[in-house]
């Protein structure tokens, strides 16, 4: 019970806790798909804590190589020493390794991801000649955002078909209100207005936004309002400005905000 109490608070959207637990218990790797800021990272932290496993989270970027994951030789005090990377540490310790936005990483990372994510469950470390067998408690979790995909950066079928998959999306209204309440303590009336407003804005398709309002942005907005900021100003700063650099788009979205928010 105390483990669960210590977990970063997470409100489920569906059956993701059951799927994660079943994948973990059966040594299957997991892929989380969905837009940014909809709870994927929070979910993985929650599950790692719940299962009482060390978690190594790696935010992938376009310079990230296999060596950044596996490890490298370093010169320390005139000596050459091997230093494990976070993926190797997770395998050795039987923990959970979370590769966030995996499609951003360099292509050479697939060479280490593939043998770990099929039934071989091995991590070959070419530089040291070692080959690690992942213990049963090791789990690989990856996330990616299908919305950002471009032709060069899609996840190849040979990679994606190695993973049990869960789709995340913006939560249902009631769930999102519970998240905001839990994260910020904002009162129910304003909380509900914010969620309704976001759902209206999410439905607007003609603004050519790369991505819509995330739960993260809603939490930021609610935090500012709870701290005493005027709700319109809070929406502009935390809900609308982060979405677009186009002043006309910002103005158009702000018109919707002003029309929908009832602040008196
Ligand atoms: P992602 O990894 O999908 O980009 P995060 O997990 O970082 O998103 O979520 C962003 C923030 O939104 C979290 O820090 C948390 O405040 C809030 N959040 C989103 N979904 C949930 C949820 N289901 N339960 C609790 N908090 C959530």
């Amino acid at each position: 019970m105390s483990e669960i109490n210590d977990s970063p608070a997470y409100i489920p959207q569906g059956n993701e806790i059951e799927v994660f637990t079943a994948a973990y218990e059966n040594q299957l790797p997991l892929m989380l798909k969905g837009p940014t800021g909809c709870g994927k990272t929070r979910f993985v932290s929650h599950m790692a804590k719940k299962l009482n496993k060390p978690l190594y989270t790696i935010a992938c970027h376009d310079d990230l190589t296999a060596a950044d994951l596996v490890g490298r030789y370093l010169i320390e005090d005139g000596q050459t020493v091997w230093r494990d990377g976070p993926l190797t540490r997770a395998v050795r310790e039987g923990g959970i390794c979370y590769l966030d936005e995996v499609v951003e990483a360099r292509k050479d990372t697939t060479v280490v991801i593939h043998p770990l994510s099929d039934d071989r469950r091995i991590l070959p470390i070419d530089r040291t000649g070692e080959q690690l067998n992942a213990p049963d408690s090791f789990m690989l979790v990856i996330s990616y955002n299908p919305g950002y995909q471009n032709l060069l950066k899609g996840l190849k079928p040979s990679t994606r078909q190695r993973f049990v998959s869960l789709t995340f999306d913006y939560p249902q209204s009631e769930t999102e209100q519970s998240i905001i309440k839990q994260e910020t303590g904002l009162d129910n009336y304003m909380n509900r207005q914010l969620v309704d407003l976001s759902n209206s804005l999410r439905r607007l398709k003609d603004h050519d936004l790369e991505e819509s309002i995330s739960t993260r942005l809603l939490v930021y907005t609610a935090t500012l309002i709870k701290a005493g900021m005027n709700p319109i100003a809070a929406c502009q700063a935390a809900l609308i400005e982060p979405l677009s650099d186009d002043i006309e788009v910002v103005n158009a979205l702000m018109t919707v905000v002003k029309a929908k928010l009832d602040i008196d």
Side-chain angles (χ1 to χ4, degrees):
M1 192 64 193
S2 66
E3 276 169 31
I4 296 176
N5 284 340
D6 288 339
S7 307
Y10 178 76
I11 298 178
Q13 293 191 17
N15 68 346
E16 65 270 34
I17 293 182
E18 289 91 293
V19 173
F20 190 113
T21 308
Y24 176 79
E25 285 171 353
N26 291 284
Q27 290 79 52
L28 296 173
L30 184 67
M31 169 162 72
L32 311 179
K33 301 186 276 182
T36 185
C38 66
K40 301 183 292 300
T41 305
R42 174 66 69 95
F43 172 57
V44 179
S45 317
H46 173 81
M47 292 307 296
K49 204 70 181 199
K50 195 167 180 223
L51 296 164
N52 201 19
K53 293 292 153 209
L55 171 64
Y56 289 89
T57 296
I58 301 144
C60 298
H61 54 80
D62 50 11
D63 281 335
L64 188 106
T65 63
D68 294 321
L69 297 177
V70 175
R72 50 169 53 91
Y73 283 107
L74 298 175
I75 310 282
E76 282 177 10
D77 299 329
Q79 306 249 333
T80 308
V81 287
W82 172 259
R83 286 281 172 254
D84 282 344
L87 179 61
T88 306
R89 286 207 292 277
V91 171
R92 286 197 207 279
E93 292 172 21
I96 295 172
C97 184
Y98 176 44
L99 301 177
D100 191 12
E101 286 299 334
V102 70
V103 284
E104 296 297 329
R106 292 264 188 95
K107 290 297 161 238
D108 71 338
T109 54
T110 53
V111 175
V112 292
I113 291 172
H114 280 194
L116 257 184
S117 55
D118 55 33
D119 55 4
R120 289 171 287 170
R121 288 177 58 87
I122 52 169
L123 177 63
I125 309 181
D126 291 345
R127 303 298 298 274
T128 64
E130 260 183 299
Q131 180 164 291
L132 304 181
N133 289 308
D136 281 358
S137 63
F138 168 78
M139 182 177 191
L140 182 62
V141 183
I142 63 174
S143 77
Y144 95 108
N145 181 344
Y148 286 162
Q149 253 199 79
N150 62 41
L151 271 180
L152 289 172
K153 284 212 162 159
L155 206 55
K156 289 201 303 197
S158 57
T159 303
R160 56 192 299 150
Q161 293 210 10
R162 287 172 150 77
F163 290 83
V164 172
S165 298
L166 274 170
T167 295
F168 281 66
D169 206 342
Y170 307 121
Q172 297 288 312
S173 289
E174 283 187 8
T175 309
E176 200 158 43
Q177 283 175 51
S178 306
I179 293 170
I180 292 171
K181 177 92 181 167
Q182 172 189 270
E183 298 287 297
T184 70
L186 186 69
D187 72 72
N188 291 342
Y189 182 68
M190 196 64 214
N191 183 340
R192 192 186 164 153
Q193 282 205 63
L194 273 186
V195 171
D196 287 349
L197 168 66
S198 299
N199 285 330
S200 305
L201 292 167
R202 283 168 183 160
R203 281 193 292 270
L204 294 176
K205 297 274 181 230
D206 52 348
H207 283 300
D208 209 19
L209 296 172
E210 221 177 333
E211 194 125 296
S212 200
I213 293 167
S214 63
T215 306
R216 180 188 293 119
L217 290 183
L218 268 174
V219 168
Y220 288 174
T221 310
T223 302
L224 295 179
I225 296 173
K226 174 83 181 159
M229 189 183 272
N230 169 288
I232 303 279
C235 284
Q236 172 145 10
L239 207 57
I240 304 300
E241 292 281 0
L243 293 182
S244 175
D245 298 325
D246 182 332
I247 188 78
E248 283 176 19
V249 172
V250 168
N251 287 342
L253 296 175
M254 280 309 295
T255 312
V256 180
V257 171
K258 286 173 192 155
K260 294 251 168 206
L261 273 195
D262 172 17
I263 49 174
D264 269 320

